[in-house]
Amino acid sequence: MKRHDAAGDWIAEALALRLNPHEAATLVEQLYRSLKEWIQYGELSAGDALPSSRYLARALSISRNTVLAATDRLLAEGLLIALQGAGLYVADLPTLLTRAEAPTPVPVRYSNRGNKLLALSGTLSHGHRAFAPGVPALDLFPRKQWQRLLRRHYYQAERSWMDYQTGGGLPALKAALCDYLRLSRAVRCQPEQIVITQGAQQAFELITQLLTDHGDSVWMEEPGYGGAQACFLASGLAVTPIPVDKEGVNPSLAPENAPAPRLIYVTPSHQYPIGVTMPVPRRLTLLEHASRTGSWIIEDDYDSEFRYDTPPTPSLQGLAEQASVIYVGTFSKVLYPGLRLGYLVVPEALAEDVRLAHARLHREGNYPVQSALAEFIANGHFTRHIARMRAAYRQRQACLRAALAPAVAAGLRLSDGHAGMHLLAELDTIEEENMLVRRAEKQGITLSPLSRYYLAENKRPGLVLGYAGSTECELTNAGAWLSDAYLAIKQSVTIT
């Protein structure tokens, strides 16, 4: 072993130049990082001695405990060894690299599924930026009331809730949710058929893991929801886009050579993003097709509570005599996305297996929050909140329409807006769509291009304009900007 002369030790001098008390990292972290780097790259060789902790503390004007905390980490990682009565030495490590020999970073290579996933549709929400789709009115959520519920249910939490859970969700929440769904959505269910998930996305993943194999066919609405597209592609399914017409997804428009689907994904109450509602005859046709092909229908009922001219449309699941529909719901749109709670309503024949698969894959939990939500629903707060949001969204949509009136007069086509949390603005060309998206980004405005919701090449140009998550003032200002930008683009096209 080689022992350095502590009085002139280069290690202390070098460390003095590297330690910076104003850096975000602690002195312990900086000291540990520097010594580890020198050892890994051979600048401190096997057998080299470190100065004593007392010497380093004096030389660096830091606490001896700081030095000991850093060297203890290096000892625990096996980079240093301690010899009784002799101090600390660099361990004899295999094949140390010099900086010149350090390997270059390995190029990132994604799987085919990964590349498809990264190229997918949909603009991820930017919080409260104007027009962000799928964002509810967070400014109107009853936070104080909800926080009181949370505090009480955390304080009164049962000890058993601290353990692993395998029940598919808190029984009280499943019972409250069952009553709500039967009354408001005409869903046929018992509490035992409900499985609570961490949002709708996890529900989709659970369905694909349990009911499909790699390469199985899934029929997807075209255009359709990017989150579901991502889940199916990431699961290795063969996604067949089925065009949407004025009555929703149309099975008769499926390609002639398309294989029978294992899954059929639909948003029948308010198609996302086009916004049409599937009438009963089309629903019955879809159910008949699923029964004939042995397919499971995934009914994503993401925002059916928000209808402005008529009562909410009953669920597709409620029409299903042969129990071929798996109903998926979420609290992200009616409460807030950060809650991360959704649910499945599965046929009785699947209920036990879905519960077991969920417990195995996802390790359910967070029962105090589920308990608070169960009381929120059972005491009527949930339905009152939905009623308040329905009124607020109607008014916010009206503000957006008023702001866009000049653009509509010049040819911009808006969807009817009878339901939901967004409007669809149809454009004439993809070029117009691209120009508006680029100009909006410079203004800090989120514009979601309709073309990105398509999987096939035949794309329609347009904009998906969320209005629920923005105030009336924000919508007025952003809508006026969009109207002016649309008119400017139309004027330049006309001149050209």
Side-chain angles (χ1 to χ4, degrees), residues 296-492:
W296 292 100
I297 295 175
I298 301 175
E299 179 181 8
D300 183 1
D301 207 23
Y302 67 99
D303 72 350
S304 59
E305 289 85 357
F306 303 122
R307 295 196 72 85
Y308 308 117
D309 301 324
T310 60
T313 307
S315 67
L316 173 64
Q317 190 265 10
L319 296 173
E321 296 289 344
Q322 301 301 319
S324 60
V325 179
I326 299 172
Y327 182 92
V328 178
T330 178
F331 293 102
S332 294
K333 305 297 187 291
V334 290
L335 295 180
Y336 60 94
L339 184 59
R340 301 311 309 137
L341 281 179
Y343 52 90
L344 286 164
V345 180
V346 299
E348 290 184 62
L350 293 180
E352 181 67 7
D353 291 334
V354 171
R355 178 185 66 81
L356 291 173
H358 181 47
R360 171 60 62 191
L361 288 172
H362 301 131
R363 300 298 189 194
E364 61 174 281
N366 213 359
Y367 274 22
V369 175
Q370 294 190 30
S371 181
L373 181 55
E375 182 176 337
F376 192 77
I377 296 172
N379 289 350
H381 303 312
F382 185 64
T383 52
R384 285 192 291 273
H385 176 66
I386 289 173
R388 286 194 297 268
M389 293 306 97
R390 192 181 294 124
Y393 294 167
R394 182 187 291 112
Q395 184 60 35
R396 291 184 177 191
Q397 185 191 130
C399 284
L400 178 56
R401 286 186 178 278
L404 292 175
V408 171
L412 184 69
R413 300 178 298 281
L414 292 179
S415 56
D416 57 35
H418 295 320
M421 302 163 66
H422 71 269
L423 290 175
L424 178 66
E426 296 184 64
L427 300 171
D428 292 328
T429 66
I430 294 293
E431 182 184 13
E432 287 181 4
E433 181 189 81
N434 291 336
M435 292 172 67
L436 287 170
V437 169
R438 286 195 300 268
R439 293 187 183 190
E441 187 60 33
K442 294 178 181 178
Q443 299 295 319
I445 295 174
T446 297
L447 286 183
S448 299
L450 176 62
S451 63
R452 291 186 192 169
Y453 292 85
Y454 285 81
L455 291 172
E457 291 303 317
N458 187 20
K459 306 174 189 291
R460 288 170 55 190
L463 300 170
V464 180
L465 304 176
Y467 55 78
S470 300
T471 66
E472 293 177 20
C473 179
E474 290 169 339
L475 290 168
T476 297
N477 292 336
W481 176 89
L482 178 57
S483 185
D484 289 344
Y486 176 81
L487 293 172
I489 286 174
K490 279 297 184 182
Q491 180 66 20
S492 66

Side-chain angles (χ1 to χ4, degrees), residues 78-267:
L79 296 175
L80 295 178
I81 57 173
L83 299 180
Q84 189 171 2
L88 299 179
Y89 293 83
V90 177
D92 188 6
L93 301 172
T95 319
L96 291 174
L97 299 173
T98 67
R99 294 184 187 275
E101 295 170 333
T104 57
V106 178
V108 177
R109 178 184 176 276
Y110 294 111
S111 64
N112 289 333
R113 284 181 297 173
N115 286 324
K116 290 179 181 178
L117 181 62
L118 293 172
L120 261 184
S121 74
T123 302
L124 294 178
S125 171
H126 294 287
H128 269 82
R129 293 176 69 175
F131 302 141
V135 179
L138 303 180
D139 58 314
L140 300 180
F141 183 74
R143 291 178 62 233
K144 291 183 178 179
Q145 181 185 57
W146 176 244
Q147 287 167 352
R148 284 195 298 269
L149 278 174
L150 284 178
R151 282 195 295 269
R152 180 156 56 80
H153 284 268
Y154 270 112
Y155 180 75
Q156 299 174 350
E158 299 178 17
R159 186 174 65 180
S160 62
W161 293 355
M162 300 171 67
D163 201 352
Y164 289 110
Q165 304 298 326
T166 60
L170 186 72
L173 177 56
K174 295 200 289 184
L177 191 53
C178 184
D179 290 341
Y180 168 76
L181 291 173
R182 283 191 297 215
L183 289 172
S184 68
R185 305 295 302 117
V187 171
R188 302 182 182 188
C189 67
Q190 298 297 324
E192 295 76 20
Q193 294 174 250
I194 296 176
V195 175
I196 306 299
T197 62
Q198 292 183 27
Q201 202 67 25
Q202 189 181 81
F204 301 148
E205 293 170 2
L206 184 58
I207 293 168
T208 58
Q209 292 290 330
L210 194 59
L211 295 179
T212 68
D213 290 312
H214 190 281
D216 278 352
S217 174
V218 56
W219 283 11
M220 179 79 201
E221 296 174 326
E222 176 80 339
Y225 173 51
Q229 294 171 350
C231 173
F232 300 145
L233 290 172
S235 298
L237 301 183
V239 180
T240 301
I242 307 298
V244 169
D245 60 23
K246 63 182 180 179
E247 295 186 343
V249 69
N250 190 343
S252 67
L253 299 179
E256 292 184 8
N257 58 349
R262 181 65 175 157
L263 301 175
I264 302 174
Y265 171 88
V266 291
T267 51

